[in-house]
mmCIF file of all heavy atoms in Angstrom:
data_model
loop_
_atom_site.group_PDB
_atom_site.id
_atom_site.type_symbol
_atom_site.label_atom_id
_atom_site.label_comp_id
_atom_site.label_asym_id
_atom_site.label_seq_id
_atom_site.Cartn_x
_atom_site.Cartn_y
_atom_site.Cartn_z
ATOM 1 N N ASN K 28 8.690 45.451 15.223
ATOM 2 C CA ASN K 28 7.268 45.365 15.696
ATOM 3 C C ASN K 28 6.822 46.696 16.399
ATOM 4 O O ASN K 28 5.800 47.184 16.142
ATOM 5 C CB ASN K 28 6.961 44.183 16.504
ATOM 6 C CG ASN K 28 6.855 42.882 15.633
ATOM 7 O OD1 ASN K 28 6.680 42.917 14.461
ATOM 8 N ND2 ASN K 28 7.002 41.748 16.330
ATOM 9 N N TYR K 30 8.356 49.524 16.136
ATOM 10 C CA TYR K 30 8.381 50.620 15.141
ATOM 11 C C TYR K 30 7.181 50.625 14.330
ATOM 12 O O TYR K 30 6.541 51.747 14.107
ATOM 13 C CB TYR K 30 9.585 50.569 14.309
ATOM 14 C CG TYR K 30 9.575 51.471 13.131
ATOM 15 C CD1 TYR K 30 9.998 52.804 13.360
ATOM 16 C CD2 TYR K 30 9.294 51.074 11.885
ATOM 17 C CE1 TYR K 30 10.021 53.647 12.334
ATOM 18 C CE2 TYR K 30 9.348 51.983 10.755
ATOM 19 C CZ TYR K 30 9.728 53.265 10.969
ATOM 20 O OH TYR K 30 9.703 54.142 9.978
ATOM 21 N N CYS K 31 6.701 49.379 13.868
ATOM 22 C CA CYS K 31 5.475 49.391 13.133
ATOM 23 C C CYS K 31 4.284 49.787 13.900
ATOM 24 O O CYS K 31 3.358 50.472 13.355
ATOM 25 C CB CYS K 31 5.331 47.982 12.533
ATOM 26 S SG CYS K 31 6.489 47.529 11.233
ATOM 27 N N PHE K 32 4.203 49.343 15.176
ATOM 28 C CA PHE K 32 3.123 49.802 16.025
ATOM 29 C C PHE K 32 3.071 51.297 16.184
ATOM 30 O O PHE K 32 2.097 51.866 16.090
ATOM 31 C CB PHE K 32 3.192 49.157 17.352
ATOM 32 C CG PHE K 32 2.115 49.481 18.301
ATOM 33 C CD1 PHE K 32 0.930 49.032 18.175
ATOM 34 C CD2 PHE K 32 2.498 50.380 19.346
ATOM 35 C CE1 PHE K 32 -0.121 49.400 19.147
ATOM 36 C CE2 PHE K 32 1.442 50.832 20.205
ATOM 37 C CZ PHE K 32 0.209 50.347 20.111
ATOM 38 N N SER K 33 4.186 51.903 16.400
ATOM 39 C CA SER K 33 4.232 53.380 16.579
ATOM 40 C C SER K 33 3.916 54.099 15.364
ATOM 41 O O SER K 33 3.265 55.082 15.354
ATOM 42 C CB SER K 33 5.647 53.788 17.207
ATOM 43 O OG SER K 33 6.664 53.536 16.188
ATOM 44 N N LEU K 34 4.308 53.584 14.183
ATOM 45 C CA LEU K 34 4.016 54.163 12.894
ATOM 46 C C LEU K 34 2.451 54.046 12.675
ATOM 47 O O LEU K 34 1.855 54.985 12.315
ATOM 48 C CB LEU K 34 4.714 53.390 11.801
ATOM 49 C CG LEU K 34 4.553 53.944 10.441
ATOM 50 C CD1 LEU K 34 4.990 55.407 10.289
ATOM 51 C CD2 LEU K 34 5.317 53.158 9.326
ATOM 52 N N TYR K 35 1.865 52.846 12.928
ATOM 53 C CA TYR K 35 0.408 52.712 12.803
ATOM 54 C C TYR K 35 -0.340 53.618 13.771
ATOM 55 O O TYR K 35 -1.297 54.256 13.442
ATOM 56 C CB TYR K 35 -0.057 51.326 13.069
ATOM 57 C CG TYR K 35 0.277 50.401 11.862
ATOM 58 C CD1 TYR K 35 0.890 49.136 12.112
ATOM 59 C CD2 TYR K 35 -0.049 50.679 10.649
ATOM 60 C CE1 TYR K 35 1.264 48.335 11.080
ATOM 61 C CE2 TYR K 35 0.265 49.766 9.641
ATOM 62 C CZ TYR K 35 0.869 48.672 9.735
ATOM 63 O OH TYR K 35 1.187 47.859 8.684
ATOM 64 N N TYR K 36 0.240 53.779 14.962
ATOM 65 C CA TYR K 36 -0.337 54.750 16.036
ATOM 66 C C TYR K 36 -0.369 56.123 15.469
ATOM 67 O O TYR K 36 -1.314 56.884 15.620
ATOM 68 C CB TYR K 36 0.324 54.508 17.337
ATOM 69 C CG TYR K 36 -0.183 55.472 18.341
ATOM 70 C CD1 TYR K 36 -1.471 55.192 18.959
ATOM 71 C CD2 TYR K 36 0.427 56.660 18.724
ATOM 72 C CE1 TYR K 36 -2.007 56.051 19.923
ATOM 73 C CE2 TYR K 36 -0.078 57.476 19.655
ATOM 74 C CZ TYR K 36 -1.239 57.208 20.387
ATOM 75 O OH TYR K 36 -1.775 58.060 21.243
ATOM 76 N N PHE K 37 0.763 56.537 14.903
ATOM 77 C CA PHE K 37 0.861 57.924 14.381
ATOM 78 C C PHE K 37 -0.070 58.144 13.250
ATOM 79 O O PHE K 37 -0.855 59.104 13.147
ATOM 80 C CB PHE K 37 2.346 58.144 13.863
ATOM 81 C CG PHE K 37 2.381 59.408 13.092
ATOM 82 C CD1 PHE K 37 2.510 60.607 13.622
ATOM 83 C CD2 PHE K 37 2.558 59.380 11.669
ATOM 84 C CE1 PHE K 37 2.605 61.855 12.918
ATOM 85 C CE2 PHE K 37 2.742 60.416 10.934
ATOM 86 C CZ PHE K 37 2.720 61.713 11.575
ATOM 87 N N LEU K 38 -0.210 57.191 12.364
ATOM 88 C CA LEU K 38 -1.061 57.327 11.091
ATOM 89 C C LEU K 38 -2.478 57.377 11.656
ATOM 90 O O LEU K 38 -3.294 58.262 11.074
ATOM 91 C CB LEU K 38 -0.876 56.166 10.183
ATOM 92 C CG LEU K 38 0.458 56.239 9.334
ATOM 93 C CD1 LEU K 38 0.618 54.951 8.507
ATOM 94 C CD2 LEU K 38 0.470 57.404 8.412
ATOM 95 N N ASP K 39 -2.826 56.581 12.582
ATOM 96 C CA ASP K 39 -4.307 56.561 13.060
ATOM 97 C C ASP K 39 -4.538 57.699 13.796
ATOM 98 O O ASP K 39 -5.745 58.257 13.740
ATOM 99 C CB ASP K 39 -4.438 55.337 13.954
ATOM 100 C CG ASP K 39 -5.925 55.078 14.311
ATOM 101 O OD1 ASP K 39 -6.619 55.153 13.290
ATOM 102 O OD2 ASP K 39 -6.141 54.868 15.500
ATOM 103 N N LYS K 40 -3.565 58.392 14.517
ATOM 104 C CA LYS K 40 -3.865 59.596 15.295
ATOM 105 C C LYS K 40 -3.866 60.866 14.426
ATOM 106 O O LYS K 40 -4.610 61.792 14.679
ATOM 107 C CB LYS K 40 -2.635 59.747 16.270
ATOM 108 C CG LYS K 40 -2.848 60.924 17.201
ATOM 109 C CD LYS K 40 -1.652 60.899 18.122
ATOM 110 C CE LYS K 40 -1.545 62.172 18.887
ATOM 111 N NZ LYS K 40 -0.344 62.397 19.576
#
Side-chain angles (χ1 to χ4, degrees):
N28 284 339
Y30 172 75
C31 289
F32 176 76
S33 62
L34 183 60
Y35 286 129
Y36 178 76
F37 168 76
L38 288 173
D39 191 45
K40 184 179 167 191

